[in-house]
Amino acid sequence: MVSFCFFKQCPTNNTTLDMSEKGRKKTTSPQSLLRLNEEQTVTELYRRAFKHQWDRVSVLIDLDPKEACYIHHDGMTALHLAVISRTNYVFNDDATTEQQQQRNNRAPLNLIEKLVIAYPNAATTLCRVNTYSPLAYVCLIVENNCDLADLDAMTRILLKHSPECSKVTTSDGLTALDIHIVSYSRRFYDLEPENAPSGRTNTLLLRTLLEHDPFLAKVRISKDKVSGAVELLYRSNTNAFFKVLTLDDIKMKNRRLSIDLKQQKAVVREVTKWWVWKWLILLLKYGTLPHKKR
């Protein structure tokens, strides 16, 4: 059985991201995204994309770009499959070595661009399992050693040829930015502010999304609830925020006790290096910019 690893504390959890504080919504396992009903009639391009035969997909799209417009009954397109191939290395435990090699084969970036140019609407199409768009899958952090530069490159391609894809939300009202915040937090939530390595203060993908559409950082109303990126960042790192407050309390006590000021300044320096702190500053910055209608 296969599953996407969404949550660090539940390595085999088959759930999607949920804004609810009471729990996470159960959904069909994402493994269904990687199964193709052989009895169903699908286009040759989609079948080749499913098998990760990207060279053949490239040839087929050159011959007939309209083949990229095919949407599978589960809401997936060839663009979804290409994006997932670069972000999620998932395959059945009982798969043959050949099948594993096929599924480990990543779609080239230029092919992803070909697909979105041929059918820009694919970038705003939601699959039926998780109601995720291709951009949502790009922003979903499923591995600790994720290549943020690669994710950023895919994001720029999707935003360039389908600008509105950043506004698409899941059935839970989550944007791709929200998914990035929550999934990144759940991967690195246990990193204490003073121990966070510099490599994990990466705001690359966050900046790209916010520069494209600053409105993503603003407070909004979804399903009669007030929510927003800043709120999600706080809720996803509540314990760590309490840690910061505790450090601040210690600093104040130290000041009253006249303990070495160098130690106090060291604590402040480490907190400002914390990745959540940097993300928060960016969200507040872009969230206060005037929204320009396009």
Side-chain angles (χ1 to χ4, degrees), residues 199-256:
R200 289 304 168 208
T201 60
N202 202 321
T203 59
L204 183 63
L205 185 52
L206 181 73
R207 285 178 182 273
T208 296
L209 291 167
L210 291 175
E211 287 173 0
H212 174 77
D213 187 0
F215 189 72
L216 294 173
K218 292 184 178 293
V219 174
R220 61 185 184 276
I221 298 178
S222 177
K223 295 185 177 181
D224 298 324
K225 293 181 179 179
V226 177
S227 62
V230 172
E231 180 195 7
L232 281 176
L233 183 65
Y234 171 75
R235 283 168 51 184
S236 301
N237 298 276
T238 303
N239 291 336
F241 272 107
F242 284 145
K243 172 72 173 180
V244 172
L245 292 176
T246 301
L247 290 174
D248 188 62
D249 289 341
I250 292 174
K251 183 184 70 173
M252 293 301 293
K253 291 178 182 178
N254 287 347
R255 182 177 299 170
R256 287 193 293 269

Side-chain angles (χ1 to χ4, degrees), residues 5-285:
C5 186
F6 289 166
F7 308 105
K8 184 177 179 64
Q9 57 269 45
C10 292
T12 58
N13 199 323
N14 291 329
T15 57
T16 58
L17 301 179
D18 185 5
M19 295 177 70
S20 172
E21 294 179 352
K22 297 180 179 179
R24 305 184 184 105
K25 182 179 72 176
K26 299 286 185 179
T27 67
T28 306
S29 169
Q31 65 187 2
S32 61
L33 298 176
L34 300 177
R35 290 180 177 172
L36 184 65
N37 185 348
E38 294 296 336
E39 296 179 357
Q40 183 189 11
T41 301
V42 299
T43 62
E44 182 66 14
L45 185 147
Y46 186 88
R47 188 179 300 280
R48 297 290 184 175
F50 176 80
K51 294 181 178 180
H52 288 197
Q53 297 173 349
W54 305 118
D55 288 344
R56 185 57 183 163
V57 170
S58 183
V59 171
L60 290 171
I61 201 170
D62 287 338
L63 293 174
D64 186 5
K66 291 182 180 180
E67 281 213 25
C69 301
Y70 173 78
I71 301 176
H72 195 249
H73 70 83
D74 58 11
M76 299 287 284
T77 66
L79 180 62
H80 284 79
L81 296 176
V83 164
I84 290 175
S85 75
R86 296 187 71 90
T87 61
N88 301 279
Y89 304 103
V90 183
F91 46 79
N92 293 327
D93 293 335
D94 57 353
T96 65
T97 301
E98 182 180 357
Q99 289 172 328
Q100 291 177 4
Q101 290 175 346
Q102 285 180 347
R103 293 176 181 177
N104 240 3
N105 183 21
R106 305 199 310 167
L109 284 174
N110 66 333
L111 177 59
I112 290 177
E113 186 161 27
K114 271 188 177 183
L115 288 168
V116 70
I117 289 174
Y119 186 44
N121 286 346
T124 58
T125 301
L126 304 178
C127 69
R128 293 196 174 94
V129 174
N130 299 319
T131 63
Y132 277 14
S133 67
L135 182 60
Y137 278 113
V138 171
C139 294
L140 178 66
I141 305 300
V142 297
E143 294 183 333
N144 285 22
N145 60 344
C146 59
D147 185 348
L148 285 175
D150 187 64
L151 299 182
D152 184 66
M154 282 191 286
T155 297
R156 290 179 181 277
I157 289 173
L158 295 175
L159 293 177
K160 177 181 178 181
H161 300 289
S162 183
E164 295 302 307
C165 69
S166 64
K167 302 181 186 299
V168 176
T169 61
T170 67
S171 59
D172 289 327
L174 295 170
T175 65
L177 175 66
D178 297 336
I179 291 171
H180 184 55
I181 290 172
V182 178
S183 61
Y184 194 100
S185 297
R186 286 176 176 167
R187 276 285 153 188
F188 306 111
Y189 74 97
D190 58 342
L191 292 180
E192 299 291 354
E194 66 271 26
N195 295 325
S198 58
R200 289 304 168 208
T201 60
N202 202 321
T203 59
L204 183 63
L205 185 52
L206 181 73
R207 285 178 182 273
T208 296
L209 291 167
L210 291 175
E211 287 173 0
H212 174 77
D213 187 0
F215 189 72
L216 294 173
K218 292 184 178 293
V219 174
R220 61 185 184 276
I221 298 178
S222 177
K223 295 185 177 181
D224 298 324
K225 293 181 179 179
V226 177
S227 62
V230 172
E231 180 195 7
L232 281 176
L233 183 65
Y234 171 75
R235 283 168 51 184
S236 301
N237 298 276
T238 303
N239 291 336
F241 272 107
F242 284 145
K243 172 72 173 180
V244 172
L245 292 176
T246 301
L247 290 174
D248 188 62
D249 289 341
I250 292 174
K251 183 184 70 173
M252 293 301 293
K253 291 178 182 178
N254 287 347
R255 182 177 299 170
R256 287 193 293 269
L257 294 174
S258 299
I259 291 180
D260 190 359
L261 288 177
K262 290 184 179 179
Q263 183 178 354
Q264 298 175 30
K265 292 179 180 178
V267 172
V268 175
R269 265 199 315 272
E270 293 304 324
V271 170
T272 55
K273 291 180 181 178
W274 184 29
W275 71 268
V276 174
W277 178 267
K278 293 190 176 184
W279 285 40
L280 177 61
I281 296 301
L282 279 175
L283 289 172
L284 291 174
K285 172 187 174 181

